[in-house]
Amino acid sequence: MRVVHIKNPGQREACLARLCAEAYGHEAGLRPLATFAGTLGVLVKQEAARVLALVDDHSRPVALALLVLDELGSSMTVMLLADLDQGQQEVAGPAERLVAELAQKAPLRVDAQGAEQEARFREAGISRWLDGKAGVRIGLGPRHPAGSLADLPRALSFDEAAVIQSFKQDRRQFEDYKARFIRGLEAFPATL
């Protein structure tokens, strides 16, 4: 098992499309496409987003993650995370294993939307926890520099509602991202 930073633009688009589809599900409306477009159109252009994969011993991806830098460039937040269903999963808890690997190498932050998610991240080695807004629990990896909520810089982001609004106003842009998303899903690499 190893972690792969996907730098090739075609592979990155394909992996991001698959990650959005897996993370949001197939009945999520425009949200996967908006995340795909916003990530590529804003965060990737600013060099603030990284798509990473955990690959098995045959270089097949078993989990994907989208990491986004904070405003200061001092840490990274897991924005999307997904196991890839490969039929017979040879790796137990691949998404948790990916988080565990990343937490050992990078100043990592995760946001848990409930006790079940927090438990999954705790299994992945995220042991420092802070109470965030609206019941969100914020987990910090061992290399994260923050000691308190006040020390946490904001993760860079984009306005998802604005992306969806731009789709409604610019049909050509919508069709372009939709085509790229579909091409990405079709071109998802069997190995990395």
Side-chain angles (χ1 to χ4, degrees):
M1 300 306 261
R2 65 188 168 89
V3 175
V4 176
H5 177 189
I6 304 157
K7 296 178 183 176
N8 173 285
Q11 287 183 333
R12 182 177 54 219
E13 273 196 29
C15 289
L16 181 59
R18 176 75 183 268
L19 177 57
C20 290
E22 294 287 337
Y24 293 118
H26 299 285
E27 304 298 320
L30 285 177
R31 194 155 188 219
L33 183 59
T35 299
F36 176 79
T39 300
L40 289 176
V42 177
L43 299 174
V44 169
K45 280 187 179 176
Q46 295 175 354
E47 297 183 5
R50 309 277 185 276
V51 178
L52 294 112
L54 180 70
V55 298
D56 66 13
D57 295 335
H58 304 288
S59 297
R60 295 177 302 214
V62 294
L64 293 170
L66 172 64
L67 302 185
V68 178
L69 285 171
D70 67 36
E71 294 173 321
L72 304 176
S74 62
S75 67
M76 302 190 90
T77 300
V78 176
M79 298 304 275
L80 291 178
L81 179 67
D83 291 330
L84 301 179
D85 182 14
Q86 305 288 10
Q88 295 179 339
Q89 193 68 270
E90 296 174 18
V91 180
E96 290 82 0
R97 188 148 174 201
L98 178 55
V99 168
E101 294 281 334
L102 295 172
Q104 295 304 313
K105 297 174 183 167
L108 197 67
R109 169 187 171 167
V110 296
D111 293 347
Q113 307 287 338
E116 186 178 318
Q117 256 189 355
E118 183 176 337
R120 283 181 68 196
F121 288 130
R122 282 185 183 275
E123 284 180 32
I126 305 294
S127 57
R128 289 190 299 150
W129 289 88
L130 305 169
D131 290 320
K133 296 178 184 174
V136 172
R137 296 273 292 155
I138 300 167
L140 304 176
R143 299 182 65 125
H144 199 288
S148 70
L149 202 55
D151 296 340
L152 278 179
R154 264 182 350 115
L156 293 173
S157 64
F158 58 90
D159 185 343
E160 184 179 302
V163 172
I164 291 171
Q165 187 62 33
S166 74
F167 285 165
K168 293 177 182 176
Q169 294 172 352
D170 186 345
R171 188 76 180 165
R172 191 166 37 205
Q173 179 190 45
F174 169 75
E175 293 297 337
D176 177 56
Y177 275 114
K178 183 175 143 188
R180 288 170 68 182
F181 186 83
I182 292 168
R183 270 195 316 269
L185 290 174
E186 291 169 348
F188 183 73
T191 59
L192 290 170

